[in-house]
Every structure is written in C-alpha cells, then in structure tokens.
Amino acid sequence: MATASVAFKSREDHRKQIELEEARKAGLAPAEVDEDGKEINPHIPQYMSCAPWYLNAERPSLKHQRKWKSDPNYTKSWYDRGAKIYHADKYRKGACENCGAMTHSAKSCMERPRKKGAKWTNLHIAPDEKIEMFELDYDGKRDRWNGFDAATYARVIERYEARDEARRKYLKEQQLKKLEEKDNKQNGEGEVSDDDEDNDALKVDEAKVDESKQMDFAKVEKRVRTTGGGSTGTVRNLRIREDTAKYLLNLDVNSAYYDPKTRSMREDPLPDADPNEKFYGGDNQYRVSGQALEFKTLNIHAWEAFEKGQDIHMQAAPSQAELLYKNYKVIKDKLKSRMKDAIMEKYGNAATEEVLPKELLLGQSEKQVEYDRAGRVVKGMETSLPKSKYEEDVYINNHTSVWGSWWKGHQWGYKCCKQTIRNSYCTGAAGIEAAEEAADLMKANIARKAASEETPASTEEKRLATWGTDMPDDLVLDQKKLDDALKKEDKRRKEEKDERKRKYNVKWDDEVTPEEMEAYRMKKIHNDDPMKDFLH
C-alpha cells in the first residue's frame, strides 16, 4: 500500500486518504495529478517526497540541514588597540619593575629600559593596558582582515596625494625654469636654435608622466610562505605580453616538452633554426651560461674541497666558500703561468720572431718513412744505432777520447794519450812516446840485473818442525813420547769440555815438541772431513 502524499493532521484524515486511494485503484475515483499535470502511479511509494503525519515537516529534519554547531561564545570583535584601563599614582606590588604597569612583567615590557625603574623611583607610573580574550570561530581565526580599521587607509591616501602634489610642483618649476632660459637666450641672441625647439617639444605633461610611471611589468600579488594566509609579496612578471609563449614556438607534438606546472621547457623548441635569429633556446641555456655556471663551479669546488678535508660548506658559510674559491683560482693561474714560462723557456715560442734553435730544426724532417706491422722501419730512414741512457761523447781534461776507449794489461784508459788514470790530464802523442821510452828502459834494467846475478852455493838445511808449519817428511818421531803426548792431549780436551775438572793452579809451557805437535794434529777435528761424526 502506498503512503500518503501529504502530511496528515489526524488519524481521520489518514483513514480518508487510504479509502480514496483504494477507490482510485478500483477505477471509481479520478487519478491523482502532480503539479506538472502528470498522473501519479499509486503503486510506487512516495517515501522521498513526503513525510509522515507524526513528524514536524515545517523544520529541517536532518542534522546537516541546520547550523547545529553554533556557539554563542564565538565573536568577530577585535582587540582595542592602545586602550588603557587604570593609571596608578604609585608602584604596586607585582607590577612591572621598569614602568610600573600591572598587566605585564619587566621581561616583556615594551618601554625603554630606565636607569632606575619605577619600583625604586616610584615616578612616572605607566597605565595598565586593556587585555581582552576572544574565542574566535573557524572563519574568524582565518580572516586576514579581522580587526582591520578602514579609517587607517586614509593616511595612505594622504601620503600618495602629498607625493603627487610635490611632483606637480617640481614639474611646474622645471617648466618655468626652461621658459626663463629660453627667453634669456632669445633676448641675447635674437635667434632660436634647433636645440630650443627640441626642448619645447619635450615639455613634460603630467598625464604622460603618470603613464610612464605605470609602464611597468605586470604586477602580481602572491602569498609568500603562507598556508591560507599571511603576508603578501609583490612578484613582477618579467615576460612582455607581446612575446610569443614558449609552448607556441613549435606546435609539433614530438618537439621539446613543456611542463605546465612549472612553466618550464628545458630543451630547445627550434634546434634547427639560426641561433642569431632565435630569441629563446630552452631553459637549459641559462644553466650553462652567465652567473649560473659560475655558481655551479663554486658548488663543485666546495664539495671537492670538503671531500679533501677542508672545513668548507657552501650553505653554512657562502662568503668563506667564495673567498676560498677566488684564492684557488689565483693560485691556479699562477701555476699555469709558471708552467707556461718554463715550457717556453725550454722549447721556445713559435709565435715569436726569434730564430729556432739548431737542435729543433735538425730534429724535424719531411721524409716519408714506411713501417711494417711489427713497427720496424721498411723504407725511408736509416737504422739508427741504439744510444745509452748515460751521457755520451763527454771529453774531460783536454782528452779527445772517452774513458774506456783503450785497454792494456787488464786496465782501461784513454786512447788519445794511453793513460790508465781516469782523472789525469791529456798529454797527447808526447805522453805516449815518454811512456814507451820508460817501458823500454825498465825492460833493459831488468835484463841487466838478471844477467849480473850469480847462483848461490847449495847448503844443507836443517829441517825443523816449527809451530804453525807443515811436518816435513824426513822427520823422525819418538813413539813413546808420541803416546805420552796423545794422552796429554786427551786429558786437555776433557778439561776443556768440563770446567769443573780444571785445576786452580795451571802450569803452562810454551815449548812445543814435535811429538806434541803431531798429537795435536792427530786429535784435531777437520770440519770438511766427511767422517768427522764417526770419530770418538
């Protein structure tokens, strides 16, 4: 059953409406028509267009349809600036020690600090400020013009009017001054020059002056560092309105990309155009030219210096970083100039008119040289002898040949004078003749001495065995003395091995007999003997 289309005032009206709808369904009553003349289908319930009789339909029934969160404490009033409430005659306890007002402390006092505060002098007590507390609503907190007094703008208008009046007065004085100068020139010369006519044409008109002041770039007011409010800053748009927009320079969809958010086009929209005729070449051209490139190199120098251990930071101390960079460039230029001077001093300068050294001229040739795959010379240049890393052909002490050019008798010498002393002075051919004569004289003396010597008479020598000499073959030893010497040698060796068996009083005899010498040799251990380890 469909609900009623109107709000009912009683149950009786509701019952009558139900009977009317049943009659319409049976065709005994005419159909209901809406405001547009259309027939209403009784089978479709009208829940959204009507309300039950037990609801108060005159007021909005939903919570979001009325101002449900309205607080009467909220206000749109503002602080009464500069208002005073009470002016005391003497200092009160708890007041400001500087000025004597009760509404603030000495730390937050806005008056000039007195030499002796009101607490100690009890003079010139400042009045108490009017302190108000407001509870603003959502819009009041975000209203940037809340508390603004429109009457204060009259002072701004007065200041601008005074400036315009001063400008008019100044321009009028300038015009009168120019007219007086012109009259004086006409009275003195009786002629009017072309310069005076130009000055007449350049008379200042107030309207033109105002237009010239207004001819500026577009002035745009923008919010600066604010979220929904705050201070505003003047941003001047430096683009002239007659210029073509950068995104209209090349309408090809595959050309340089234009970012609408940042209004930047980094690539060149017309790369094939003549650079002399192009006004815009992309935003990247500003990054590699002018002060942008200098700033970039300054940042790179600061990073590299910090990595090498220097205490430098571009953002923390920019002036220090720039000063260090300037010093670095000066030192670098000095090193470059010093290196350039050293190279020019060593190899010369081809740009000058000076004659090149002979060594450099001989070192250059235009001969064609052919090489094989291994790098060997095939044709065009003779094979050069390999040179040593040491200095060659250096002649000292007037010699005409180097040291080591002559060899004789297992000795090196000079070929020019045949001397074997390295630091000797060259004597030339005369020195050679003198050396040969001295050698011949020495040979004659040796031969004469050998001839004059006579052979001595042969005498029998007594073969004696001495300490440190080899034993002769014809020496006869006593066997009994040799056995005693061997025992004595064994005893001596035992004493050397064990110091405890050594006697306190030692008798020593420096006379060594041949038997004792033979016993020592027989007991001696030879290190090069392969059977020494088997001896007992």
Side-chain angles (χ1 to χ4, degrees):
M1 181 179 67
T3 59
S5 60
V6 295
F8 305 106
K9 294 183 179 180
S10 63
R11 291 180 179 271
E12 186 64 26
D13 295 339
H14 193 193
R15 186 181 60 78
K16 290 180 180 181
Q17 183 65 26
I18 292 173
E19 291 176 355
L20 181 60
E21 289 179 357
E22 290 178 354
R24 284 172 180 170
K25 289 179 183 179
L28 300 176
E32 187 178 2
V33 180
D34 58 4
E35 296 177 356
D36 298 334
K38 294 181 180 180
E39 183 178 353
I40 298 176
N41 190 354
H43 298 283
I44 299 177
Q46 305 295 324
Y47 294 117
M48 302 302 294
S49 62
C50 59
W53 59 272
Y54 48 82
L55 291 179
N56 192 0
E58 296 177 357
R59 300 178 181 177
S61 61
L62 296 178
K63 185 180 290 185
H64 66 269
Q65 293 180 354
R66 66 175 183 268
K67 194 174 182 181
W68 58 277
K69 196 177 180 182
S70 60
D71 194 343
N73 296 327
Y74 290 150
T75 179
K76 290 188 177 180
S77 57
W78 200 244
Y79 303 98
D80 190 3
R81 298 180 183 272
K84 310 295 181 182
I85 54 174
Y86 178 71
H87 194 168
D89 297 332
K90 61 180 181 178
Y91 181 79
R92 295 159 291 175
K93 185 178 180 181
C96 176
E97 297 179 357
N98 186 42
C99 67
M102 288 290 294
T103 51
H104 61 267
S105 61
K107 187 176 182 180
S108 57
C109 184
M110 300 300 294
E111 282 196 10
R112 177 184 59 83
R114 304 179 185 180
K115 188 174 182 181
K116 286 187 178 181
K119 180 179 179 181
W120 294 276
T121 61
N122 208 11
L123 297 174
H124 306 290
I125 305 297
D128 299 340
E129 298 93 351
K130 184 180 180 181
I131 298 178
E132 298 175 288
M133 298 295 293
F134 299 114
E135 188 175 358
L136 301 175
D137 56 355
Y138 183 85
D139 295 331
K141 292 178 181 178
R142 288 156 182 81
D143 187 7
R144 63 191 308 178
W145 296 103
N146 193 3
F148 176 72
D149 187 8
T152 57
Y153 192 71
R155 290 179 290 180
V156 180
I157 297 174
E158 291 175 1
R159 186 170 69 250
Y160 276 88
E161 287 179 352
R163 188 192 66 178
D164 295 339
E165 185 64 28
R167 183 188 293 131
R168 291 192 201 98
K169 186 177 179 181
Y170 173 74
L171 294 175
K172 192 172 182 179
E173 291 176 357
Q174 293 294 326
Q175 288 180 1
L176 292 173
K177 189 175 180 181
K178 288 182 180 179
L179 289 173
E180 289 177 359
E181 292 177 357
K182 181 180 177 182
D183 293 339
N184 294 333
K185 287 183 179 179
Q186 287 180 354
N187 296 331
E189 299 177 0
E191 295 180 358
V192 180
S193 61
D194 296 337
D195 297 337
D196 296 334
E197 293 179 358
D198 295 339
N199 291 334
D200 294 340
L202 293 175
K203 287 183 179 180
V204 182
D205 189 9
E206 295 181 9
K208 291 182 180 179
V209 170
D210 293 338
E211 288 178 2
S212 66
K213 294 296 180 183
Q214 293 175 3
M215 285 178 62
D216 203 349
F217 297 112
K219 189 175 181 181
V220 182
E221 296 286 344
K222 290 186 177 181
R223 290 177 177 175
V224 181
R225 294 180 182 173
T226 58
T227 10
S231 61
T232 58
T234 302
V235 180
R236 297 194 180 276
N237 190 359
L238 300 179
R239 185 175 69 87
I240 303 174
R241 296 299 176 181
E242 285 75 14
D243 292 342
T244 307
K246 62 177 75 173
Y247 53 84
L248 296 178
L249 294 174
N250 191 351
L251 299 179
D252 187 5
V253 294
N254 296 324
S255 63
Y257 173 71
Y258 175 74
D259 187 8
K261 185 176 182 180
T262 58
R263 299 181 183 179
S264 59
M265 182 182 287
R266 294 172 177 82
E267 299 179 4
D268 189 0
L270 299 172
D272 299 330
D274 187 6
N276 297 325
E277 298 178 357
K278 283 194 300 185
F279 176 74
Y280 177 74
D283 294 341
N284 285 337
Q285 69 175 353
Y286 304 119
R287 299 184 179 180
V288 293
S289 61
Q291 293 183 349
L293 187 60
E294 296 178 2
F295 185 73
K296 183 179 178 181
T297 54
L298 178 59
N299 273 321
I300 293 174
H301 173 262
W303 297 337
E304 292 178 351
F306 181 77
E307 289 178 356
K308 292 179 181 178
Q310 292 190 9
D311 189 9
I312 179 174
H313 198 279
M314 186 60 195
Q315 282 70 34
S319 301
Q320 179 189 7
E322 188 174 1
L323 182 61
L324 289 175
Y325 181 59
K326 287 183 180 179
N327 296 337
Y328 164 75
K329 289 198 295 185
V330 170
I331 296 172
K332 187 176 180 181
D333 294 340
K334 287 183 180 179
L335 289 175
K336 278 187 176 181
S337 62
R338 194 181 305 168
M339 187 181 298
K340 182 179 177 181
D341 295 340
I343 292 173
M344 291 177 64
E345 184 180 355
K346 186 175 183 179
Y347 299 102
N349 187 3
T352 58
E353 297 180 357
E354 298 178 0
V355 181
L356 293 177
K358 187 177 180 180
E359 293 82 4
L360 292 178
L361 290 174
L362 295 177
Q364 300 175 358
S365 84
E366 297 180 356
K367 293 182 180 180
Q368 184 178 0
V369 183
E370 296 181 6
Y371 299 89
D372 59 359
R373 292 185 177 180
R376 294 183 293 269
V377 178
V378 177
K379 181 181 178 183
M381 187 172 65
E382 297 179 358
T383 305
S384 60
L385 296 174
K387 294 184 178 181
S388 173
K389 65 179 180 179
Y390 303 102
E391 293 181 346
E392 297 183 0
D393 299 333
V394 178
Y395 307 115
I396 59 174
N397 295 335
N398 203 27
H399 288 284
T400 57
S401 60
V402 295
W403 168 259
S405 58
W406 186 66
W407 167 267
K408 185 178 182 182
H410 302 282
Q411 287 183 339
W412 292 103
Y414 292 99
K415 185 179 180 181
C416 56
C417 58
K418 295 184 179 180
Q419 294 194 54
T420 57
I421 300 173
R422 177 143 192 193
N423 295 327
S424 62
Y425 194 82
C426 181
T427 55
I432 296 174
E433 293 178 359
E436 290 178 353
E437 291 177 359
D440 295 341
L441 183 59
M442 184 178 293
K443 288 179 180 178
N445 293 335
I446 291 173
R448 185 173 61 255
K449 185 177 180 181
S452 61
E453 287 181 353
E454 296 178 358
T455 55
S458 59
T459 56
E460 292 184 1
E461 295 181 357
K462 188 175 182 180
R463 307 292 298 274
L464 298 175
T466 59
W467 179 263
T469 60
D470 294 335
M471 187 67 66
D473 296 334
D474 54 353
L475 182 63
V476 179
L477 299 175
D478 189 357
Q479 188 64 32
K480 186 176 180 181
K481 292 181 178 180
L482 182 60
D483 294 339
D484 296 337
L486 289 173
K487 292 179 182 180
K488 189 177 180 181
E489 183 66 22
D490 291 337
K491 186 177 179 182
R492 187 185 66 80
R493 287 181 178 274
K494 287 181 182 179
E495 290 180 356
E496 287 182 357
K497 290 181 180 180
D498 192 358
E499 292 288 338
R500 294 176 295 177
K501 294 182 179 181
R502 181 180 175 185
K503 295 181 180 180
Y504 184 74
N505 296 322
V506 179
K507 294 181 180 180
W508 188 259
D509 189 6
D510 56 352
E511 295 180 2
V512 181
T513 61
E515 287 79 6
E516 292 177 351
M517 189 64 191
E518 182 65 18
Y520 171 76
R521 289 195 181 107
M522 292 174 66
K523 295 293 182 177
K524 181 180 178 182
I525 298 175
H526 299 278
N527 293 325
D528 55 349
D529 187 3
M531 301 297 291
K532 65 180 181 178
D533 297 333
F534 299 96
L535 297 176
H536 297 289

